[in-house]
Amino acid sequence: MRETDKLMTGVEAERPEPAAVTQELIREHGLTPSEYETLLGILGRTPSITELGIFSVMWSEHCSYKSSKRWLKTLPTTGPRVICGPGENAGVVDIGGGKAAIFKIESHNHPSFIEPYQGAATGVGGILRDVFTMGARPIANLNALRFGAPDHPKTRHLVAGVVAGIGGYGNCIGVPTVAGETNFHPAYNGNILVNAMTVGIADADRIFYSAAAGPGNPVVYVGSKTGRDGIHGATMASAEFSEDSEEKRPTVQVGDPFTEKLLLEACLELMATDAIVAIQDMGAAGLTSSSVEMASKGGVGVELDLDQVPMRETGMTAYELMLSESQERMLMVLKPGHEDAARTIFHKWELDFAVIGRITETGRLILRKDGRVQADIPVDPLVSEAPLYDRPWEPSPARPRVASADVPAPADPLQALKTLLGSPDLCSRRWIWEQYDHMVMADTVCGPGGDAAVVRIHDTTRGLAMTTDSTPRYCLADSEAGGRQAVAEAWRNLVAAGATPLALTNNLNFGNPERPRIMGQFVGCVQGMGDAARALDFPVVSGNVSLYNETEGEAILPTPVIGGLGLIDDLATAPRAAFAQAGDTILLIGETEGWLGASLYLREICGREDGAPPPVDLDAERRNGELVRRLIADGAVRCCHDLSDGGLLAGIAEMALAGGIGAAIDPPADALPAHAWLFGEDQGRYLIAVADPEPVMKAAGKAGVPARAIGRTGGASLTVGGACTISLAELRAAHEGWLPGFMGSA
């Protein structure tokens, strides 16, 4: 008798014992009355408590995407490099040489606000598993963080805990954290954002998927034991915070990066054999989502004997076992006869291994524990009849353009620059990224601090560029323009690193979608993202939606984070975002209108947060970017930096500080006010430094791309118009000093 047959014998077929369902119990599980009626229609009877819990998590916003799915389907998801788009654990793109890059970004927002260290740490662990469950060895981690106002009493505590959690997990597992972004705004006071991204590399012909197959095949549990941590984590992530958020602390998972390292190596070792039919990470909703998703995708049923699940706590119920979100666990379907070989591998790595069930032809999820059937649910309607809402939405009201003549000019533009560089949004993040190991694995070519990180494809001269980007203040001002800009900036950052952009992943962080104003922000951002992704041939291959990010009715800024991936064919041509030597000519690529609406200059210098954001001309973005990429490939560009927050003068200063070389620039003598030219945040622009500007100017003219020589590198200061000067030392002190000073009393 096979091991899987032994598990399921000797138990009489019976119905689960129904729960004493009350309206309060239904509400506690996050189900609406109409959703519960649908549940009753599927089962044809009152559910057991375990069944109620399963429907609750599978139909939560976090797992079902019931408010967002309609709009996500409008995004472009295919392309010549795409091997696997949305729907699997992560997206997969062809990078040549028989290799594929596998990558995704996900949120761990609510847990990180409640328990910042473990919330952030398990966010990193979860996204790592999403990548290596598909057969990839992770090569890089990235993140995108949003915190509340610096003067809020919880902000320092949250920053310290989140950064320590990210560093603690990533450093211990031995995957470099190479890039990210961190910003502050009062809108995040009650709901911070922690988005984690991982990139991995696999053999293109050895990608592993999650669709279960083969009735009779064994279902195997591997990794850590199951405890009571994380129960109802998916449900908690699908609701607003309130004053009792601290009471949700038990729903935050506890991570162990050392166990995850063992799990990574064991999985990759087993993947080198022919044993695995399907594999799925136990992430949100744990054993429930992994078993249901595998069965649903494969069109099969699954029977589980929960008494066989490795447990670290006594007396765990079927409900607890199915809803626990304990970390470092995987569910697999193996080919018959491979159980002993697989067990040997996992025991070698000191991990639990248990055959807990089998695949069936019934199309049902059947759970047994303590000699009784605890759940008997048809899989297909559990998934296909999940609620799908077309929420009412209203477009964001249009803001008027802020005329540069209505924005006061600074008495000294370089002192204004100093203020900007020392502000929370533009200051150096060195204090953060020095806590991350960004050189482990020895393939990091360009780490934190530039436009995009660059990681070598091991044992080659090629590399992957990667970035995370979003400008929430633009999305608040004009959600559609903000969505376009987020995609365009990620694309631009990859180009500035010398890469050909391949594809993107996204993490869509918004407030309560039941409010038409918030839903309108979501719809506008998705529409803008889709426009940009299509225009730039930059498909969406994976992603995550995080809604209900608000506390007591106060929503976060709309924050669609874009994780971009690009390919560099020859690392020798990749530029840096730092001046390389004195005497180079600085060229500005792209058109400048001096757009100050929704800019950092307007907020930090003038104390205003109004105006329309800069428009995004997608045709110009593509033209300008393709020219810059050709120039880089031809070896004509020593250094390159895209322009975004803070405008041109901030970009010049960042290049000067990164290279330790100053510059002198001359504003044009035209009708544009100098402060608008210096600080406007017009899109689609790059700064490049070249030894010989003439061939570059000719190439730009031929391509129909605006290009202008604006100054030269050299010295130890920045000079504007030959009159205003500031030393790099003074700028560096302001730029490097704010964050360590702020965190000094954490």
Side-chain angles (χ1 to χ4, degrees), residues 11 15 45 52 260 369 406 461 489 506 517 525 618 669:
V11 181
R15 281 187 169 180
R45 55 179 170 80
L52 183 65
E260 179 120 333
K369 190 175 189 306
D406 295 333
T461 58
E489 185 174 352
N506 60 63
R517 178 178 60 86
C525 283
L618 293 170

Side-chain angles (χ1 to χ4, degrees), residues 130-149:
D130 278 342
V131 168
F132 73 74
T133 193
M134 296 194 71
R137 179 171 291 279
I139 63 164
N141 289 328
L142 302 86
N143 54 71
L145 313 177
R146 297 294 188 290
F147 297 102

Side-chain angles (χ1 to χ4, degrees), residues 210-349:
S210 58
N217 283 348
V219 177
V220 173
Y221 172 117
V222 300
S224 291
K225 289 180 169 60
T226 295
R228 291 187 171 93
D229 54 316
I231 293 174
H232 280 306
T235 306
M236 181 265 289
S238 304
E240 293 181 36
F241 275 157
S242 60
E243 291 179 351
D244 67 348
S245 63
E246 292 296 325
E247 297 175 10
K248 295 187 172 84
R249 195 174 295 272
T251 64
V252 178
Q253 311 92 324
V254 178
D256 179 355
F258 299 105
T259 298
E260 179 120 333
K261 173 63 173 174
L262 301 178
L263 183 61
L264 162 64
E265 298 300 339
C267 286
L268 292 181
E269 183 173 339
L270 184 61
M271 286 168 172
T273 72
D274 194 34
I276 298 175
V277 174
I279 180 170
Q280 176 71 42
D281 161 45
M282 288 193 225
L287 190 52
T288 290
S289 64
S290 55
S291 57
V292 170
E293 288 173 10
M294 293 175 82
S296 173
K297 289 175 182 176
V300 296
V302 61
E303 293 185 5
L304 301 180
D305 181 355
L306 298 181
D307 289 316
Q308 306 304 315
V309 173
M311 298 173 232
R312 67 168 184 260
E313 299 183 49
T314 58
M316 291 191 71
T317 65
Y319 179 96
E320 292 171 327
L321 289 167
M322 291 303 293
L323 270 63
S324 168
E325 294 184 8
S326 294
Q327 297 292 285
E328 294 87 40
R329 304 179 301 159
M330 293 279 191
L331 196 65
M332 298 181 180
V333 177
L334 299 183
K335 294 178 180 177
H338 288 74
E339 297 94 326
D340 289 341
R343 180 183 289 106
T344 298
I345 290 173
F346 281 89
H347 284 179
K348 181 186 79 171
W349 290 99

Side-chain angles (χ1 to χ4, degrees), residues 154-237:
K154 293 193 71 169
T155 298
R156 279 196 297 269
H157 162 72
L158 292 169
V159 172
V162 166
V163 171
I166 290 170
Y169 208 100
N171 296 353
C172 290
I173 199 172
V175 176
T177 301
V178 298
E181 55 175 356
T182 303
N183 293 101
F184 299 82
H185 193 278
Y188 304 102
N189 282 347
N191 203 124
I192 64 172
L193 301 184
V194 175
N195 294 176
M197 175 176 167
T198 293
V199 180
I201 294 180
D203 291 335
D205 60 353
R206 296 289 292 171
I207 309 299
F208 290 81
Y209 299 99
S210 58
N217 283 348
V219 177
V220 173
Y221 172 117
V222 300
S224 291
K225 289 180 169 60
T226 295
R228 291 187 171 93
D229 54 316
I231 293 174
H232 280 306
T235 306
M236 181 265 289

